[in-house]
Amino acid sequence: EAGVTQSPTHLIKTRGQQATLRCSPISGHTSVYWYQQALGLGLQFLLWYDEGEERNRGNFPPRFSGRQFPNYSSELNVNALELEDSALYLCASSDGTGEDIQYFGAGTRLSVL
Amino acid sequence: GQQVMQIPQYQHVQEGEDFTTYCNSSTTLSNIQWYKQRPGGHPVFLIQLVKSGEVKKQKRLTFQFGEAKKNSSLHITATQTTDVGTYFCAGQTLTGGFKTIFGAGTRLFVKA
């Protein structure tokens, strides 16, 4: 069974540009979570999608947005990139039952120059 | 707001020594999960605790959930170099809608 896949692996952008990160959940999983992990730091919750809808949002500005598609894959968009947006962005999926286990992808390393 | 505090932030041990990381929530949790992230890797689920006072073991790892369901611990007996990484707890609560809150993690260094 394929795990959570994220693309691209690495992404290099310049300040002010926009970045799009993609995530494909484990087959059968309906929930997708996005986290930001700055170098050497913890996981900062960004967004939670379930059944195509945004269920919860972390303490991030509106230029961080996303969506979930009918096939449960998801996109994270970051507009007007700033240097401090440089981080590992992790996607996790779960079966959407609530008190469930999150399975993480390998992440997208975003570098903003 | 709801918080999950995890201590210590870092721990250096000699191989063979024991290690413990603690997780404390400001609110009662419905359950708690533990994840391990190896250097350069992504978090991997280790275990979930649901019941008050629950204790679970995985080989040298012992996980506990407090009686009040507000704290948890992970204890590793006789650490090995393969234990190196960051251990995260993640508390889940149904208050105000389902939420998972990750602790900041404890980074474990093991010296051979």
Side-chain angles (χ1 to χ4, degrees), chain A residues 33 35 37 40-43 45 48 55-56 88 90 98-107, chain B residues 10 30-31 33 35 37 41-45 48 50 88 92 94 98-100 102-104 107:
Chain A
Y33 306 81
Y35 296 89
Q37 187 175 35
L41 297 181
L43 300 168
F45 169 71
W48 169 33
R55 302 294 186 184
N56 205 350
L88 179 67
L90 290 161
E99 297 178 350
D100 52 9
I101 299 162
Q102 296 187 25
Y103 295 87
F104 285 82
Chain B
Y10 301 95
S30 59
N31 67 71
Q33 299 171 346
Y35 294 78
Q37 184 175 23
H42 57 276
V44 174
F45 173 79
Q48 176 168 280
V50 179
F88 292 97
Q92 295 190 325
L94 294 174
F98 167 71
K99 280 183 188 176
T100 299
F102 276 81
R107 189 162 183 185

Side-chain angles (χ1 to χ4, degrees), chain A residues 74-89:
Chain A
S74 177
E75 258 181 19
L76 173 68
N77 294 293
V78 188
N79 293 319
L81 285 165
E82 301 178 2
L83 296 178
E84 51 266 34
D85 296 332
S86 294
L88 179 67
Y89 288 83

